[in-house]
Amino acid sequence: MNYDKTKYRKIDWKHFMMFHWIINPGLMINELIFGQRVPKVMLMERSTKKAWAERFKVPCPHCNNIHDNRTWNLTNKTMFKNWFGLYCPACSGVIPCLMNIGTFVVLAVTSPIWYWFRKPLYNKWLAKQPGRYKNLDLETSDFQKHTWWQQGLGWGMFMFVATILLDKIWSEEYTMQKLLFHFVWWMIGGLIFGFILRTMTHKPTGKQRTNNI
Ligand SMILES: [Zn+2]
């Protein structure tokens, strides 16, 4: 892969984020159900003028284009349904992705079933891809749509509901007090999460974006 080594730093499975994606079995849900994928190789801009989250780029090994990571995000509705990999809108190739350990085990065990349908499923998926990347918005980051505390509370709320659902699955009894405790716990956790996100998605120097906060 050709890239300017003075401008970018290569990131692969040895990076903590990528490694976490591989070893956390919970992320199998993101991969198998939602089709959210992480490329095997990313490039990180060495410049420190940009927000941390905006410094990640995705190189295509087929055409050597270096894509903005917002090519596959919520704003463009391209974050999910990438079961076979990340589609490259420049050359129609498929960028190879990491595989979560849980996904690997499930796919290995069920391989006698899906193996026979792999090719037609892949072709069907591939045929749908060009249309998904026609009008890409690479200016708007997913993080710009809401303020940090809105994102944090949203995440907290999601975790709160998920906790209740899990409690139900484990048939644990929950009281009003327990519910309240969970709620306060996740709201505080949410605000901390939102604040961490904010530090990762804001420019470390220079003017703040006017459309955020
Ligand atoms: Zn490409």
Side-chain angles (χ1 to χ4, degrees), residues 59-65 67 87-95:
C60 173
H62 311 294
C63 67
N64 277 320
N65 257 298
H67 295 284
Y87 177 78
C88 169
C91 72
S92 306
V94 178
I95 299 168

Side-chain angles (χ1 to χ4, degrees), residues 192-207:
I192 295 170
F193 177 71
F195 190 75
I196 294 170
L197 263 185
R198 181 177 181 270
T199 58
M200 293 194 315
T201 55
H202 268 64
K203 289 182 186 184
T205 51
K207 282 181 188 170

Side-chain angles (χ1 to χ4, degrees), residues 152-153 155-161 163-164 177-193:
L153 291 181
W155 180 80
M157 203 61 200
F158 170 79
M159 292 306 290
F160 173 62
V161 174
T163 312
I164 296 174
Q177 264 169 316
K178 202 178 165 192
L179 273 185
L180 201 69
F181 171 77
H182 273 315
F183 185 75
V184 174
W185 172 267
W186 284 118
M187 286 304 115
I188 295 171
L191 286 177
I192 295 170
F193 177 71

